[in-house]
Amino acid sequence: MIEKAYELVQKRRVEQVGEGVYNVVGDHGTYIVVRKIDGTISCTCPGFIRRKRCSHSLAVLLIQKPDLLRTVESEIERTAERKRQRRERT
């Protein structure tokens, strides 16, 4: 889920449309993510409605927290590098 959220941010598929309100263009539609003053977050996608979490809401959190975005970016890059190294050894 974290990789998908990061991809949404990188592809600029998250757009702020109001105070704490975002449109996020996912693979299966455009969803509304709302982050309230108390920090709670919600999304209109079916996954969030069922599980109370989704890549769309996580993408909004990544945009709002640049330090978290940098950490996620670094980890994704490290993971990709490890995978490349494993393939080269085989």
Side-chain angles (χ1 to χ4, degrees):
M1 184 183 321
I2 192 88
E3 291 90 353
K4 189 171 180 183
Y6 178 73
E7 183 180 318
L8 290 170
V9 172
Q10 290 303 305
K11 291 184 175 180
R12 300 182 184 274
R13 294 171 76 179
V14 181
E15 174 188 23
Q16 186 169 5
V17 294
E19 187 67 33
V21 181
Y22 298 80
N23 278 342
V24 181
V25 180
D27 293 337
H28 306 289
T30 300
Y31 304 104
I32 299 169
V33 176
V34 176
R35 183 145 192 228
K36 297 179 186 170
I37 281 194
D38 66 3
T40 58
I41 198 161
S42 64
C43 179
T44 58
C45 78
F48 189 89
I49 292 167
R50 282 192 306 273
R51 296 182 301 273
K52 302 298 181 211
R53 62 178 182 222
C54 66
S55 58
H56 316 109
S57 59
L58 185 53
V60 168
L61 289 175
L62 290 175
I63 284 177
Q64 292 182 335
K65 299 184 180 233
D67 289 343
L68 179 59
L69 178 58
R70 283 190 291 277
T71 300
V72 166
E73 183 174 46
S74 295
E75 188 58 34
I76 288 173
E77 288 172 1
R78 277 194 293 268
T79 301
E81 180 60 29
R82 283 187 219 120
K83 286 179 182 179
R84 278 192 294 274
Q85 290 173 351
R86 282 189 210 125
R87 275 188 244 127
E88 289 173 0
R89 283 185 257 168
T90 58

